[in-house]
Amino acid sequence: MFALLGVVLVAGAPCVLPAAAGGTKLKPPQNVEVDIIDDTFTLRWARSREPAGNVTVSADYRMPRIVDNWTKLPGCQHVTSATCDFSSLKMHVYEEIKLRIRAEEGNSTSPWRELDTFIPFQQARIGPPKVHLEAEDKAIAINISPPGAKDSVMWQQENPQYSVIIWRNASGAQTWNETHHSRFPRIKIHKLVPETTYCVRVKARLLLHWNPAEFSPVHCVSTTVENELPAPENIQVILENDTYVLKWDYTHDNVTFEAQWLKSYLKRMPGSQSEKWAQVQGCERAPVARCAPPQDLFRKGIYFRVRASRGSSSSPWSQEEKFDAGRQVVIPPLIVALKPLSSRSLQVSIGFQDQTELQHSLTYEVRFWENASNAERKTFVEQRADFPVLSLKPRTVYCADAQALLEDGPRSQRSRPSNTACAATEAGGAPGALLVAGVAVMLVLCAALALGKLVHYVFFPAGKPPATIEEYFPEEPTKNLLLSTSVEQTEECFIVENVDAVSAKEVNHLDEDHRTYTSQASQDSGHYSIEDESGESGESGGSQAGEELGQRGAGAHSAGGRFA
Amino acid sequence: MNTQPDVIRKCVWPACLMGLFITGTLSLGCDLLHIHLRRVTWQNVKLLTNMSKSFPLECLRENKAFQLPREVLAYSQPLLHRDIKGAFYEMSMLAFNIFAQSTFQSTREEKHLEQIQTGLDQQLQYLEQCLKEEKGKKDKEEMEEDEKRHSGARTPQPSNLDLRRYFHRISSFLKDKQYSHCAWKIVQVEIRRCFYYFQTLIELLRRK
């Protein structure tokens, strides 16, 4: 911060010194303005308090998008007066342009003063248009040429609209003036008084831009003496039995009429294009105040005008009447929907495909019928777009379609029939039957689920077997014993051979005993599964021991058998 | 020579984006405008299509990209219904002025051109009426007041300046090529594509 101050002071110091030495540091020009009117570009500034000397002013320009360096502004170099004109610069009127200006005296120059960036098209004022007047007895035709030169760049692409102020140039109390707004360069003001001087001022403007405009100078003209034959009035195009016919009013007799037509887009074009009126076939010399031109003439967008003639004299042209076939009100296509409200009513909804809300009020004709053969069709005429239809039969299908009519238009103007929509009224029973059924289903499902869980818990417990069993079944401790179908576990049997050898001798003696023992043994251990058939005497001792062992083993077996 | 004209799209980008940022409510006036406008615009697109069907291949050489500056895509201020109509009006007017400079090549083309100009004139009429209705029934005094008020803050929508630049490029192109047959053909195709995309804008108007 202090460094900055320091820099400023240092910078200021050399400026102070020359002042002290007697010269004045040049300041750039003040109150600089850019004035643009049509294609004339002027730079204005205030002359600084005048020390004697030749102070000149120079300016540069820069167009950020096109010419990015500061370039000398033509027509504004070393200018002594307080304005300079740089219209000779080839201007890009829609592009931004930046100007800077400084004063010079001898070898010293002031610092540049930069002006704000601007776009010429937005800054420009609309100059006065050129006006040409032609007077008739009760009308004045005004031909307006657009502002700017012929090769004007600024308004080259524009279609200006014009405001015309006309007043009566009469002294005295009778002042009268009117303002007309015209979209076209040619405007005719009717219902004027013959032999009067009228004065006119015209101003151009752009429709969507707020450029200020200047009025043209005042132009005056006098209307002529009243014509022998007045112009026809009230020209209309009417539809007679599907044929378009041109009709007008005329007060005098013994005249023939001549009709002309013009394509309406020609009115928008400046210059002489607008004079391309063409004869209407069948109306070149009409004896009555109507004629029937060929129908293909009646396309959209044409103007008509009519005049009367008798002998060599003719009336002025009538007011131009526009005919636009496309201007009839178009009712967009309708969409009809039916919704069941209850068991005895349906709701009819009429909408448009386009979702627009029409300014014109419509009347709807709705045809309604039961979807059965020989059903009679009822027609409702409604202004509402949503309404219920009552007193219907339950559980029946009904259908409807609709047409729209313009309320305050020709009754013949109706839309095309809409789609046919059908819907059924609801059943007569409790409307909640479905709901109850649904709830019941839900309950049953819940019950089934609970039952399933119970069954699962009771019959298929997921418990752990006791530790002792685990000794025998170490591999699968969590196995479900009831359901297991694995191979029976077998235990090794230990048979002592010595006992067998000894007992082989005694067997013969003890046969009877053995037999009884065996029988006893066999009675005792009826569980023997393997050694039942091995009750031989030779192995009585052994068998005894074996029995014992066998018993144990068998016991174990049986135990195993029992539990296997 | 740029043989890839990707302009058309860019012509309508400002229009499309404006449509995307609609925040205004449906105007009470010009209710039927959308219906008429849509019909008329479609007719113009079809007319231009018919005209440009016979595009001579040798004209492809002279094809030019009439690009719109990309800054337009960043324009994100919420736009009113009226602004869209305004842009559409200006587009129609600028296109009309281009066609007003035409010189007829053949009777068939002359007929087509007349039809286009009639269609454009219709579009302009509807829009003028609509914009006038939306302005309200202002007196002359009120309008002048507005002018004074607005003279300090002149801010037309930037997109309208872009439209003007775009059509200025087309106009300069025609002038440089001395209104040759090929130049006209190229311009016809260009404006047709521009119309087509403005049609999408009308759809957005319709849905509002």
Side-chain angles (χ1 to χ4, degrees), chain A residues 143-144 146 185-186 269-275:
Chain A
N143 271 338
I144 308 169
R186 240 152 316 275
M269 317 235 276
S272 61
Q273 297 283 351
S274 173
E275 302 306 312

Side-chain angles (χ1 to χ4, degrees), chain A residues 148-420:
Chain A
K150 252 199 153 202
D151 53 351
S152 157
V153 180
M154 188 64 74
W155 315 121
Q156 177 195 32
Q157 299 194 100
E158 307 306 317
N159 254 346
Q161 315 216 325
Y162 300 100
S163 304
V164 176
I165 304 177
I166 182 169
W167 66 93
R168 194 168 27 210
N169 194 16
S171 54
Q174 267 189 337
T175 50
W176 166 93
N177 60 28
E178 271 183 2
T179 307
H180 296 256
H181 297 288
S182 171
R183 281 178 279 144
F184 308 126
R186 240 152 316 275
I187 176 173
K188 209 167 174 190
I189 301 177
H190 295 266
K191 298 197 175 67
L192 300 177
V193 177
E195 294 178 277
T196 326
T197 308
Y198 289 94
C199 291
V200 148
R201 290 190 84 183
V202 181
K203 187 170 77 159
R205 62 190 169 88
L206 300 181
L207 186 60
L208 295 170
H209 298 258
W210 297 106
N211 302 62
E214 287 191 1
F215 270 109
S216 70
V218 176
H219 288 75
C220 293
V221 78
S222 297
T223 46
T224 62
V225 177
E226 184 165 351
N227 225 316
E228 177 196 346
L229 291 170
E233 284 183 356
N234 201 15
I235 301 184
Q236 289 178 333
V237 176
I238 58 172
L239 196 62
E240 273 182 11
N241 297 332
D242 288 335
T243 317
Y244 283 117
V245 162
L246 197 59
K247 257 180 64 165
W248 55 90
D249 297 339
Y250 205 61
T251 46
H252 292 49
D253 304 322
N254 217 4
V255 289
T256 56
F257 298 99
E258 177 192 353
Q260 286 185 340
W261 69 283
L262 178 78
K263 294 179 211 120
S264 63
Y265 75 85
L266 287 173
K267 277 197 159 268
R268 253 180 226 284
M269 317 235 276
S272 61
Q273 297 283 351
S274 173
E275 302 306 312
K276 286 186 172 174
W277 287 90
Q279 293 293 116
V280 175
Q281 287 174 21
C283 298
E284 289 97 342
R285 226 161 273 154
V288 286
R290 55 170 281 141
C291 69
Q295 292 300 293
D296 62 359
L297 185 65
F298 295 96
R299 321 163 215 153
K300 43 190 168 278
I302 54 175
Y303 282 89
F304 285 109
R305 68 180 187 182
V306 181
R307 74 172 172 187
S309 18
R310 191 193 287 152
S312 57
S313 60
S314 53
S315 73
W317 285 106
S318 67
Q319 271 183 284
E320 291 153 12
E321 200 58 45
K322 187 164 170 147
F323 174 76
D324 192 350
R327 271 231 173 225
Q328 289 187 323
V329 175
V330 171
I331 308 174
L334 294 176
I335 296 184
V336 162
L338 279 180
K339 267 192 323 217
L341 272 185
S342 71
S343 61
R344 294 195 154 267
S345 63
L346 288 172
Q347 175 88 359
V348 177
S349 301
I350 304 174
F352 293 105
Q353 228 167 38
D354 297 349
Q355 303 283 323
T356 50
E357 308 232 314
L358 282 193
Q359 203 175 30
H360 310 259
S361 49
L362 292 175
T363 308
Y364 303 103
E365 272 186 18
V366 181
R367 288 189 309 169
F368 195 83
W369 65 94
E370 197 181 318
N371 194 21
S373 54
N374 295 341
E376 58 158 296
R377 288 166 190 237
K378 281 169 82 178
T379 305
F380 301 99
V381 179
E382 283 279 345
Q383 300 236 329
R384 303 172 283 173
D386 283 275
F387 61 91
V389 182
L390 308 167
S391 306
L392 301 173
K393 293 186 271 188
R395 286 222 227 119
T396 325
V397 179
Y398 290 92
C399 296
D401 68 17
Q403 262 190 317
L405 298 168
L406 265 187
E407 265 251 306
D408 46 15
R411 278 283 142 173
S412 56
Q413 196 150 29
R414 46 173 72 216
S415 69
R416 281 186 290 142
S418 70
N419 58 312
T420 302

Side-chain angles (χ1 to χ4, degrees), chain A residues 73-92:
Chain A
L73 196 59
C76 287
Q77 300 299 312
H78 310 296
V79 174
T80 48
S81 58
T83 73
C84 73
D85 182 322
F86 57 100
S87 311
S88 53
L89 177 65
K90 185 175 181 296
M91 193 61 69
H92 297 258

Side-chain angles (χ1 to χ4, degrees), chain A residues 156-159 269, chain B residues 48 66 90-103 113 116-117 120 124 163-175 179 183-184 186-192 195:
Chain A
Q156 177 195 32
Q157 299 194 100
E158 307 306 317
N159 254 346
M269 317 235 276
Chain B
L48 276 169
F66 303 97
E90 304 226 294
M91 190 283 279
S92 310
M93 175 192 80
L94 294 163
F96 182 86
N97 286 339
I98 297 271
F99 283 118
Q101 303 169 42
S102 66
T103 52
L113 208 62
I116 291 166
Q117 285 177 297
L120 277 174
L124 285 165
L163 270 176
R164 284 185 161 76
R165 286 190 198 115
Y166 171 74
F167 277 96
H168 185 63
R169 282 195 286 272
I170 295 180
S171 190
S172 307
F173 171 76
L174 273 174
K175 224 180 282 183
Y179 301 92
W184 268 116
I186 292 166
V187 164
Q188 277 166 27
V189 170
E190 183 69 38
I191 296 186
R192 168 181 154 250
F195 276 26

Side-chain angles (χ1 to χ4, degrees), chain B residues 35-70:
Chain B
I35 302 164
H36 285 301
L37 208 48
R38 196 150 44 101
R39 191 166 42 94
V40 168
T41 321
W42 265 126
Q43 280 172 2
N44 286 337
V45 172
K46 279 190 280 191
L47 277 170
L48 276 169
T49 310
N50 283 338
M51 270 182 87
S52 50
K53 260 187 192 155
S54 59
F55 189 86
L57 286 173
E58 65 263 17
C59 295
L60 274 176
R61 258 185 291 126
E62 301 190 34
N63 209 358
K64 183 181 151 90
F66 303 97
Q67 289 177 9
L68 271 181
R70 284 206 173 258

